[in-house]
Amino acid sequence: VMRRNPFGMDICCRKGSRNPLQELYNPTQVSLSNTAILHQIRRDQVTDTCRANSVSSRKRRVLTPNDLKHLVVDEDHEMIYCYVPKVACTNWKRVMMVLTGRGKYSDPMEIPANEAHVSSNLKTLNQYSIPEINHRLKNYMKFLFVREPFERLVSAYRNKFTQKYNTSFHKRYGTKIVRRQRKNATQEALRKGDDVKFEEFVAYLIDPHTQREEPFNEHWQTVYSLCHPCHIHYDLIGKYETLEEDSNYILQLAGVGSYLKFPTYAKSTRTTDEMTTEFFQNISSEHQTQLYEVYKLDFLMFNYSVPSYLKLE
């Protein structure tokens, strides 16, 4: 099979050459081996956390196809990416479309954001048969990207509840949150659900009723529940804080680093640590403690310390 790279030269598929998994665990380049050590430390942290919390984390030992719908497969480069909303997943989906598009796309940033989220544009692991799934989990390089859990949460809140255009979220979740968390809500607020306060959002997340009623929406679901790192061994754990380095390292391992770079953009609106601190100012220490419990495994597993602004009980 011949594939075109973005510069129009024909390059043959990578069969026969080393795949990313081999390159990761037995690097041929010195520059790759230093980074490999960092990722080994991150993998060990996940393994240790899973072991230490095995009582809670091993409850569902068998993964169902539904558990695999966040794992995007790139057959050509033998890679699997578990996408986590609010952790550069739009750009990573764009990159995956370039990698799997067989020359259809060459510049990730030319792909409109909404097109990157059309599910039919990328193939996910749940679309394969059980033997095919097992083969890919064993032989492909698996990676995901994580972010400080509360920064990710504030980012999700800002994006879904403070932007006027997100009416579907306001209708689906906002109205429910207002109805449940706001005393004396106006008829308009109950109908529109477009003015949810962060305190109300937090109260909704820690409400046992919410947990029983339906799974969290993927934008605030824990990474632990979206990507199942205690059941799936991830070879690489990229971090939002080192997004460019980690992303380009993955593209290097895939053998495409010479012509494909991860898109960089200085987004002035992105949620920062200072911003997150501000949002948590009005959350009671009781609610902070309960919320930390919900996201605790993500903090531990990906080595994020308890934020200094928290007043835990």
Side-chain angles (χ1 to χ4, degrees):
V1 187
M2 299 297 275
R3 275 198 295 126
R4 289 193 168 274
N5 82 1
F7 296 116
M9 298 182 299
D10 283 321
I11 49 168
C12 187
C13 279
R14 51 177 316 124
K15 297 292 169 243
S17 62
R18 290 159 60 83
N19 74 3
L21 207 53
Q22 293 164 320
E23 199 54 68
L24 171 68
Y25 291 108
N26 301 294
T28 45
Q29 299 171 43
V30 178
S31 62
L32 294 181
S33 58
N34 299 338
T35 316
I37 296 164
L38 165 74
H39 286 279
Q40 180 62 57
I41 294 167
R42 290 181 186 173
R43 279 196 297 277
D44 291 345
Q45 176 78 20
V46 171
T47 308
D48 295 347
T49 307
C50 291
R51 205 172 287 137
N53 295 277
S54 60
V55 184
S56 60
S57 65
R58 285 280 168 186
K59 255 189 284 200
R60 291 171 53 233
R61 197 164 268 113
V62 182
L63 293 180
T64 64
N66 196 40
D67 292 321
L68 306 174
K69 60 179 189 285
H70 273 249
L71 281 80
V72 175
V73 181
D74 171 1
E75 293 287 355
D76 292 342
H77 304 90
E78 301 187 353
M79 298 197 300
I80 295 174
Y81 160 58
C82 184
Y83 70 89
V84 178
K86 306 314 300 170
V87 193
C89 89
T90 305
N91 277 354
W92 254 111
K93 284 181 175 181
R94 285 169 162 148
V95 169
M96 292 301 273
M97 282 172 72
V98 172
L99 289 173
T100 59
R102 309 243 164 158
K104 191 173 162 191
Y105 312 95
S106 60
D107 178 1
M109 292 318 273
E110 279 176 6
I111 302 170
N114 57 351
E115 202 179 314
H117 295 294
V118 174
S119 55
S120 58
N121 282 332
L122 291 165
K123 196 159 184 193
T124 47
L125 198 57
N126 58 339
Q127 297 170 328
Y128 293 83
S129 68
I130 304 289
E132 288 173 330
I133 288 171
N134 289 332
H135 170 78
R136 281 156 185 75
L137 285 175
K138 192 173 156 205
N139 297 294
Y140 286 17
M141 185 176 82
K142 300 166 295 297
F143 67 95
L144 77 162
F145 275 78
V146 299
R147 182 178 186 177
E148 203 279 340
F150 284 170
E151 196 181 287
R152 178 177 163 241
L153 190 66
V154 168
S155 176
Y157 166 78
R158 290 177 65 219
N159 177 252
K160 298 303 168 198
F161 294 108
T162 68
Q163 305 289 343
K164 288 294 172 213
Y165 61 78
N166 265 324
T167 47
S168 62
F169 262 84
H170 304 155
K171 280 265 183 290
R172 168 115 202 251
Y173 295 100
T175 53
K176 192 185 292 182
I177 294 171
V178 170
R179 190 172 66 243
R180 216 184 280 167
Q181 307 300 339
R182 190 180 300 177
K183 290 185 177 72
N184 312 322
T186 64
Q187 282 307 307
E188 190 185 21
L190 287 164
R191 194 180 78 248
K192 284 188 169 172
D194 64 351
D195 64 345
V196 171
K197 297 183 181 69
F198 186 64
E199 299 88 291
E200 295 170 329
F201 178 51
V202 169
Y204 162 78
L205 294 174
I206 59 177
D207 183 348
H209 192 111
T210 306
Q211 311 265 6
R212 283 195 303 270
E213 189 177 59
E214 58 179 348
F216 275 5
N217 175 278
E218 59 175 21
H219 291 84
W220 48 86
Q221 180 60 280
T222 59
V223 176
Y224 164 73
S225 303
L226 287 176
C227 294
H228 314 284
C230 289
H231 299 84
I232 294 171
H233 172 82
Y234 286 93
D235 303 289
L236 277 168
I237 295 144
K239 293 203 160 189
Y240 192 71
E241 295 76 17
T242 49
L243 177 63
E244 266 172 70
E245 301 96 292
D246 293 343
S247 299
N248 288 322
Y249 174 58
I250 290 165
L251 296 175
Q252 250 180 304
L253 291 169
V256 298
S258 58
Y259 62 82
L260 182 59
K261 292 274 177 278
F262 191 77
T264 59
Y265 61 105
K267 225 172 146 192
S268 55
T269 57
R270 64 164 272 207
T271 303
T272 60
D273 185 44
E274 295 75 45
M275 218 179 267
T276 306
T277 306
E278 228 161 276
F279 272 90
F280 273 85
Q281 298 276 282
N282 300 328
I283 307 295
S284 70
S285 58
E286 184 192 354
H287 280 189
Q288 287 186 5
T289 306
Q290 289 172 289
L291 191 69
Y292 179 75
E293 280 306 311
V294 173
Y295 292 93
K296 186 177 177 178
L297 275 178
D298 279 5
F299 275 100
L300 298 173
M301 204 169 270
F302 307 117
N303 206 15
Y304 288 107
S305 48
V306 177
S308 56
Y309 56 77
L310 283 194
K311 313 178 284 283
L312 297 184
E313 292 191 334

